[in-house]
Amino acid sequence: LAKFHSWPARDFRHTSLRCLDLRPMSAINNSQNTKAAKTSAKYVKSIAILAISLVAFSAVAVILGATKINLGLDLRGGTSVTLTPRPSEGAKVTSEAIDQAVEIIRQRVNSLGVAESEVAAQGSGVNRQIVISVPGQTGEKIVQLVGQTAELRFRQVLVEGAPTPAASDTATATLPSGVTQELSDRYAALDCTDGTNLQGGSTESPDVAVVSCDRTGTAKYILAPAQVLGSQIAQASSAIDQVSAAGWYVLIDFDSEGTKKFGALTTAVTGLPAPQNQVAIVLDGLVVSAPRINEAINAGSAQITGSFNQEDASNLANVLKYGALPLAFDQGEVLQVSPTLGSDQLQAGLLAGLIGFLLVFVYSFIYYKALGIVTIASLLVAAAIAYLSFLLLGEWIGFTLTLAGIAGAIVAVGITADSFVVYFERIRDEVREGRSLQSAVETGWVKARHTIIVADAVSMIAAALLYFFAVGGVRGFAFTLGLTTLIDLLVVFVFTHPLVSLLSKRKFFANGHRLSGFSAKSIGLDVESNESAKVKG
């Protein structure tokens, strides 16, 4: 206030007192410096947390052994299996049944944890075949999992015997009443040591008695009509017996109808002499196990045991969970798809991505000068996050990168670069309106982030719609597009904006150096001045 006498005379009558800061200049400067220091510390902390997170997730990837990205069938090869439907008792081959089988098989293949698998029907009408293509899996494993009809039935055991053939009169000597001579003859002739009788796939009517082999070929049975069906299962899961260390088993829960019928079945056989007190669990015509029933089971749950390892139990639970196939299938050709063509496609895709990155880099330096460093750094950080995401998701959920996925990632480079352009141009607009660079960085960010969020939200909606309503390679494109769009938001908010804010405090940028990207010429102030001069003249 003591210096007011040296100012030129001014009229303060219309000056609003709330616009005057009567504190000493040193106090004002200290307050501004403190606020700036806190802001800078916040941005440094944001970048530091991002860097620490990258290091931490890299360590997690190394610990998990996720050092290579899982590549899809089109890039690394895999297995293609052809299944041919065949008619059986009570199951006609129709277009509707084939379509239903395709959907169930697709769910089973996806349950392997392998993404980018393809399941499709080829041909026309009832002569169609189902072709399954899975990257990196052996044909035998695929056929075992998806080729099962998974027709689960619970039947009372009437007769149990050695797996080898026997004379009919000997075999029928101890058979319960009600067993026909035809059934007796089939039981006597059945040889369960012959591998052709252990293929399964039977879809005999549940309303008739049958002869069957143990799936290991160690016993054969005559079984009563089924009283509980797999369609009455509500849920299935695998678990390990930690109490008796008996190995893995499959736990099934019945629906209300199944609970009632299973309770009635176990009540009826309790107390009968062996083997009539046993209930056989029959999957695709083969006996998985035939436990003795000591008491009625009315709780609506049951266990399937049978010397399973973890993989066997998990696969059985999956096929039961997604339902039985409406048809039986004969295995056709199993082809190993060569990765040679895929290798060429991978190189072409990576080259296209590299060219895209370089073009963005060159454009950024030409148009934004030194500010282009922010674009390059942000894109490199986004690429690092995307790479780590591919590694970890491959380990956690079986994510598989295909050529279509690479295309989605390349498209995302343009989306990410567009976010930078929106922000940078908003800063220039604020500077042209008379704000300092540091002020323009913050006000420009407030206005630009809404546009960035809306633009990325549109990409996310498109990616989500493609993912849920498409199949095959299109889903891979949609997944990587959505993932990299989320990464774009993360990078812009926690890296790009903080980095620009920190650089704006450097004299090189704050003073508008001609190479900074914020010179008067770069932001168009010279042009505006020249145009104004021409108008006045």
Side-chain angles (χ1 to χ4, degrees):
L1 295 178
K3 295 183 179 179
F4 279 2
H5 68 276
S6 63
W7 290 357
R10 296 181 62 182
D11 187 352
F12 288 97
R13 287 176 297 175
H14 303 292
T15 301
S16 175
L17 293 178
R18 61 185 176 87
C19 297
L20 298 177
D21 191 339
L22 302 181
R23 292 179 297 167
M25 291 302 296
S26 59
I28 296 175
N29 291 335
N30 289 338
S31 176
Q32 292 176 344
N33 291 337
T34 301
K35 183 177 180 180
K38 290 182 178 180
T39 302
S40 298
K42 181 180 70 174
Y43 292 146
V44 170
K45 182 179 179 181
S46 175
I47 295 175
I49 291 175
L50 179 62
I52 293 172
S53 299
L54 285 174
V55 173
F57 281 110
S58 298
V60 170
V62 172
I63 293 173
L64 294 177
T67 56
K68 292 183 179 180
I69 296 176
N70 294 335
L71 300 179
L73 184 69
D74 55 350
L75 298 178
R76 68 165 176 170
T79 304
S80 177
V81 181
T82 301
L83 299 178
T84 303
R86 57 178 166 84
S88 58
E89 183 179 348
K92 295 182 179 180
V93 178
T94 63
S95 296
E96 293 76 12
I98 293 175
D99 291 338
Q100 183 183 357
V102 167
E103 183 60 30
I104 294 173
I105 290 175
R106 182 177 291 123
Q107 292 175 322
R108 292 184 186 179
V109 173
N110 290 339
S111 74
L112 281 171
V114 181
E116 305 304 336
S117 58
E118 295 183 4
V119 180
Q122 296 183 354
S124 59
V126 297
N127 297 319
R128 290 188 296 172
Q129 295 177 316
I130 296 179
V131 179
I132 307 108
S133 300
V134 181
Q137 298 291 318
T138 64
E140 181 180 0
K141 181 178 180 180
I142 296 173
V143 172
Q144 288 178 350
L145 178 63
V146 305
Q148 298 180 58
T149 55
E151 186 62 68
L152 184 68
R153 289 163 182 167
F154 293 81
R155 297 175 179 266
Q156 180 188 4
V157 175
L158 299 179
V159 174
E160 178 181 10
T164 54
S168 181
D169 57 349
T170 303
T172 59
T174 58
L175 292 180
S177 60
V179 175
T180 64
Q181 186 62 43
E182 179 188 0
L183 192 62
S184 173
D185 293 341
R186 288 171 53 194
Y187 172 77
L190 182 61
D191 184 3
C192 291
T193 61
D194 185 352
T196 58
N197 293 324
L198 302 177
Q199 298 299 316
S202 173
T203 56
E204 295 175 316
S205 172
D207 299 325
V208 298
V210 297
V211 296
S212 179
C213 292
D214 180 271
R215 69 184 185 121
T216 60
T218 58
K220 63 181 179 181
Y221 303 86
I222 294 181
L223 305 173
Q227 292 181 258
V228 185
L229 306 180
S231 58
Q232 293 160 346
I233 292 177
Q235 184 58 267
S237 60
S238 59
I240 188 170
D241 190 340
Q242 298 179 346
V243 178
S244 61
W248 287 82
Y249 62 88
V250 176
L251 178 65
I252 55 178
D253 296 320
F254 296 105
D255 59 18
S256 57
E257 182 183 8
T259 298
K260 181 179 179 180
K261 289 186 175 182
F262 190 71
L265 173 61
T266 54
T267 299
V269 302
T270 300
L272 294 179
Q276 287 81 31
N277 62 347
Q278 296 173 226
V279 171
I281 302 169
V282 186
L283 179 67
D284 291 345
L286 295 176
V287 176
V288 177
S289 62
R292 183 174 63 252
I293 306 300
N294 297 320
E295 60 182 9
I297 303 174
N298 298 306
S301 298
Q303 292 182 6
I304 302 177
T305 58
S307 301
F308 297 122
N309 58 31
Q310 181 178 5
E311 184 178 13
D312 291 339
S314 177
N315 287 343
L316 177 56
N318 281 327
V319 296
L320 294 178
K321 184 191 308 179
Y322 296 117
L325 295 180
L327 300 169
F329 290 89
D330 292 324
Q331 177 186 333
E333 58 182 350
V334 178
L335 298 177
Q336 295 296 323
V337 181
S338 172
T340 304
L341 178 61
S343 177
D344 295 337
Q345 292 174 330
L346 176 61
Q347 293 178 4
L350 294 177
L351 179 61
L354 179 60
I355 292 175
F357 265 97
L358 291 177
L359 289 176
V360 172
F361 291 170
V362 172
Y363 173 82
S364 297
F365 275 123
I366 293 176
Y367 191 73
Y368 289 113
K369 306 295 190 296
L371 187 61
I373 295 174
V374 177
T375 301
I376 295 174
S378 299
L379 286 175
L380 290 177
V381 170
I385 296 175
Y387 182 76
L388 278 175
S389 298
F390 294 160
L391 289 177
L392 293 173
L393 290 177
E395 183 69 22
W396 290 336
I397 64 172
F399 169 76
T400 303
L401 183 64
T402 63
L403 188 64
I406 293 177
I410 293 174
V411 170
V413 173
I415 295 175
T416 303
D418 183 62
S419 298
F420 305 152
V421 171
V422 169
Y423 182 29
F424 294 163
E425 290 303 313
R426 199 61 191 169
I427 294 175
R428 287 182 166 185
D429 288 343
E430 297 297 311
V431 173
R432 279 193 288 267
E433 290 178 3
R435 291 185 174 86
S436 66
L437 179 59
Q438 293 185 29
S439 175
V441 165
E442 299 305 325
T443 57
W445 169 247
V446 172
K447 297 177 180 179
R449 66 187 179 191
H450 176 73
T451 303
I452 294 172
I453 292 174
V454 170
D456 283 352
V458 171
S459 296
M460 283 299 302
I461 292 173
L465 291 175
L466 281 175
Y467 184 82
F468 288 109
F469 292 101
V471 296
V474 178
R475 295 188 73 193
F477 173 86
F479 185 87
T480 54
L481 177 62
L483 176 63
T484 48
T485 300
L486 288 176
I487 292 173
D488 168 46
L489 284 174
L490 174 67
V491 171
V492 169
F493 273 79
V494 305
F495 182 80
T496 305
H497 170 227
L499 182 59
V500 173
S501 297
L502 293 174
L503 291 178
S504 68
K505 296 176 173 57
R506 301 294 179 180
K507 291 183 179 181
F508 178 81
F509 291 94
N511 293 339
H513 190 280
R514 63 186 183 87
L515 297 179
S516 66
F518 290 114
S519 64
K521 183 178 181 180
S522 295
I523 62 178
L525 288 179
D526 285 352
V527 175
E528 291 180 359
S529 299
N530 291 337
E531 292 296 329
S532 178
K534 290 178 182 179
V535 172
K536 291 179 180 179

